[in-house]
Amino acid sequence: MTKTAFITGATSGIGKATAQILAKNGINLIITGRRSSLLKKLREQLTSDYSVEVQELCFDVRNKEEVNNAINDLGNHVGKIDILVNNAGLAAGLDHIQDGNIDNWERMIDTNIKGLLYVSRAILPIMVKNGRGHVVNIASTAGKEVYENGNVYCSTKHAVDAISKAMRIDLLAEGIKVTSINPGMVETEFSIVRFDGDKEKAKIPYKGIKPLSGEDIAEIIWFALNRPDHVNINDIIITPKAQANSFTVHRKNL
Ligand code: NDP
Ligand code: 8X3
């Protein structure tokens, strides 16, 4: 039976690459994000390149009414969701905690924690009713260790780590798998967003290394999704070869 995946943050980076690999493998998609023109463009490309159904839903994960209305708008299609990829997220700023921008803190907490919870709360009852499902939460190496200036971003990703563990326990008897994907440095729009659109500053974290790509992570997500039914990948950490953990990076030619 053809499966359906609901992907948050499909307009860019890891989410977009995940949409591509899932569509290539015949999974129907519900792609979401705030930038409607990018969603439309992606839907048109995916439906033209692959034999899959793609629906686009434009909403902000921080707004629980928007989340619930968008998911309600799916009507009968909502019952078909087999896979939820909780990917939408961001870092804003890189400062010592005593200098942190409180608006940035709220943006990260509202998106990375509360947004993930709003979407999950709307979709999990459907999976429970169906007696099947697979949730993939995109956490981070920043959810395993904190690093200097990472304070609030790292806290939000530690929360995602805890939510994944909690989901795995609470959904165990419901036949729903939960996988936590923890990437290190992936070159997407992430750093541009973190540095508020400053493209030169955004390149600094990747100087002297070959970072991961969105596609590298999407391949791992597909591997986790494509295991036999009795196999669950709980937790996986993926870094570039040049990165040992959140704060140990080997840079060449600097
Ligand atoms: P991108 O900035 O390229 O993509 C982020 C995606 O999240 C976009 O599609 C964006 O869509 C969506 N998004 C952001 N805020 C909201 C919101 N309020 N409502 C709805 N959608 C939103 O970054 P990545 O692909 O790198 O990031 C994806 C996830 O991976 C994030 O959770 C990030 O924390 C995590 N991650 C990233 C790493 C990296 O090094 N890049 C490493 C480890 C984890 P739109 O703007 O259209 O709303
Ligand atoms: C994103 C990776 O190292 O910028 O989660 O925190 S890092």
Side-chain angles (χ1 to χ4, degrees), residues 148-174:
E148 187 175 5
N149 295 320
N151 43 69
V152 175
Y153 176 68
C154 294
S155 306
T156 66
K157 290 300 181 178
H158 275 70
V160 175
D161 191 50
I163 292 166
S164 295
K165 288 178 186 152
M167 282 182 172
R168 209 170 290 121
I169 296 167
D170 292 352
L171 296 167
L172 187 64
E174 311 295 344

Side-chain angles (χ1 to χ4, degrees), residues 9-15 33-35 59-62 87-90 111 138-140 153 157 183-186 188-190 193 206:
T11 54
S12 165
I14 296 169
R34 290 165 301 176
R35 288 172 286 178
F59 64 87
D60 187 325
V61 295
R62 292 172 293 181
N87 165 75
L90 81 164
T111 310
I138 310 302
S140 172
Y153 176 68
K157 290 300 181 178
M185 286 191 276
V186 190
T188 58
E189 292 180 12
F190 177 85
V193 172
Y206 312 119

